[in-house]
Amino acid sequence: MFRSCLAAAIALIATGSASASITQLDLADYRLVATHDLPSVQASEASAVTWNWDTDTLFVLGDEGDYVVEVNKQGQRISSMNLFGFDDTEGLSYLGNGQFVLVEERLQDVHRFSYTAGGSIGRSATPAVSVGATVGNVGLEGLSYDPLSGRFILVKEKTPQAVYDAALDFTTGSATVTELVPPANQFARLFDTLDLADVQTLTTVASLRGTADQDNLLIYSQETPRLMEVTRSGEVLSQFDFSAIAEDAEGVTIDGNGVIYIVGETPRLYVLAPVPEPEGWALLLAGLGLIGATARRRLS
C-alpha cells in the first residue's frame, strides 16, 4: 500500500500539484518524475522551452522556426503561434506580460515578440538586437531573461563555448555584452562539456530570491548530456546526469515551484522534481492526505 501511495505522490509532483516552493536548489535531490510526448507538428525538433509565470504554462520552440507552441505541464497543446522568416531558432525566454524573446543561432540575433494564440508574426516585424557576427552552427544556443536585472544570460555552443551577460535594447537595436566565464582558448571546454545548449536563470523562481542560489544558473549540455547548476563565475555546484534518459535534449526551464522541464528534439518533455529522502516521504504523504485515506480504507 505504501508503494501505491508513493506512486500517487510522485504523480502529484510530476503535475506540479504537490510541489511546494523551494528555498534552495541541489540537483542531487532531483529525479526524473515524468516523460511526455510533445505535439509532433508544432513542437517538431523542440530546441527550447520557457515557463510563463503569468499563465503557469510552458512555451516550446522548434529549431526550424515555424511555431511557438503553448503546452501544459504534461506536454499537451493549449495553443500555438506561427512564425515566418525565422531559421535555426534555438533559444526562447519569457519576459512577462505576454512578451517573449527568441534567438537565432547562426545569425546570433535576438528577437522580441508578443505571443498571440492562433496568430502569426514575421521576422521582419519583430524588433531585434545582434549579439555577435554571423557564424556557423556553433552560435547562440540559448538565452534566459533575468527579471531582477532586466538583463539576459546567453550561451554560445562551441568554438569557443561562452556564457554572456547582456543588456539588450530593442528600441535602438544595441547590445552591451560581457563574457562571464572566458574560455582559455577557442577549443576550451567550459564545465568539462562538449557543448552548451541552453541556460536558465534562477531569479525567475521567486522563492529563491534573497537566497544563496538566487543568482545561479541552470546550464544544459546536449553533447555531454548533463544539467548543471553553476555560479555566474563558472563554479559547478551540482549536476544531473541525463545520459541514460535522452541524447537529443537541449532546452531547459524551471517553474515557480522549482520543477525543471527539459525538451528534446524527439519531441519530448522531461520533468525533473526534487524528491524527498525516505524519511521525508511520510511527511509528504501525510500532507497529501494519502496516509489518512489509506487508514480509512483499511477500517472500512
Side-chain angles (χ1 to χ4, degrees):
M1 187 61 69
F2 179 78
R3 287 185 178 179
S4 64
C5 291
L6 187 62
I10 290 177
L12 287 170
I13 290 172
T15 62
S17 56
S19 299
S21 297
I22 61 172
T23 55
Q24 61 180 1
L25 188 144
D26 184 344
L27 293 175
D29 296 334
Y30 278 72
R31 302 292 183 271
L32 178 71
V33 297
T35 300
H36 305 292
D37 289 334
L38 289 166
S40 59
V41 176
Q42 289 92 345
S44 176
E45 296 190 34
S47 61
V49 60
T50 190
W51 174 61
N52 180 326
W53 53 82
D54 293 319
T55 60
D56 196 28
T57 56
L58 305 174
F59 286 74
V60 178
L61 177 69
D63 68 7
E64 298 302 316
D66 295 326
Y67 296 93
V68 174
V69 56
E70 180 186 13
V71 301
N72 64 20
K73 293 178 178 180
Q74 294 75 50
Q76 298 165 328
R77 180 186 179 277
I78 297 173
S79 66
S80 63
M81 181 177 182
N82 283 96
L83 301 175
F84 296 100
F86 293 95
D87 184 46
D88 195 25
T89 48
E90 291 287 353
L92 181 71
S93 188
Y94 186 58
L95 306 180
N97 299 314
Q99 296 275 307
F100 294 80
V101 290
L102 64 79
V103 64
E104 293 182 290
E105 179 181 5
R106 291 172 174 83
L107 296 176
Q108 302 199 103
D109 290 345
V110 180
H111 294 260
R112 189 185 67 199
F113 67 96
S114 296
Y115 182 84
T116 303
S120 62
I121 193 167
R123 186 180 190 277
S124 61
T126 61
V129 175
S130 175
V131 180
T134 299
V135 295
N137 192 29
V138 293
L140 294 177
E141 277 281 324
L143 82 168
S144 185
Y145 177 63
D146 182 340
L148 292 188
S149 68
R151 297 170 68 90
F152 295 83
I153 303 296
L154 305 97
V155 290
K156 184 177 179 295
E157 182 180 3
K158 59 177 65 173
T159 324
Q161 295 179 2
V163 181
Y164 300 126
D165 178 303
L168 305 180
D169 188 328
F170 292 94
T171 301
T172 64
S174 61
T176 303
V177 181
T178 302
E179 197 163 3
L180 288 181
V181 191
N185 57 68
Q186 66 174 339
F187 303 108
R189 297 182 180 182
L190 298 182
F191 321 118
D192 194 30
T193 59
L194 293 173
D195 75 334
L196 303 181
D198 204 4
V199 61
Q200 171 65 51
T201 62
L202 294 184
T203 53
T204 59
V205 183
S207 61
L208 289 180
R209 296 174 188 171
T211 73
D213 288 317
Q214 169 186 291
D215 295 320
N216 295 338
L217 310 170
L218 293 177
I219 292 182
Y220 191 81
S221 171
Q222 178 185 20
E223 294 182 26
T224 306
R226 183 189 305 155
L227 177 66
M228 301 164 287
E229 182 194 7
V230 306
T231 66
R232 299 200 185 195
S233 61
E235 179 187 0
V236 178
L237 301 176
S238 64
Q239 52 191 318
F240 185 98
D241 185 357
F242 222 72
S243 60
I245 300 171
E247 295 183 351
D248 66 348
E250 58 174 318
V252 62
T253 194
I254 189 170
D255 71 11
N257 292 322
V259 178
I260 296 171
Y261 303 88
I262 293 176
V263 294
E265 295 179 348
T266 307
R268 193 158 289 155
L269 174 70
Y270 304 92
V271 185
L272 306 180
V275 176
E277 293 299 320
E279 60 269 20
W281 279 112
L283 292 175
L284 174 61
L285 294 173
L288 296 172
L290 293 174
I291 290 178
T294 301
R296 288 192 295 271
R297 285 196 296 272
R298 285 177 174 173
L299 291 172
S300 61

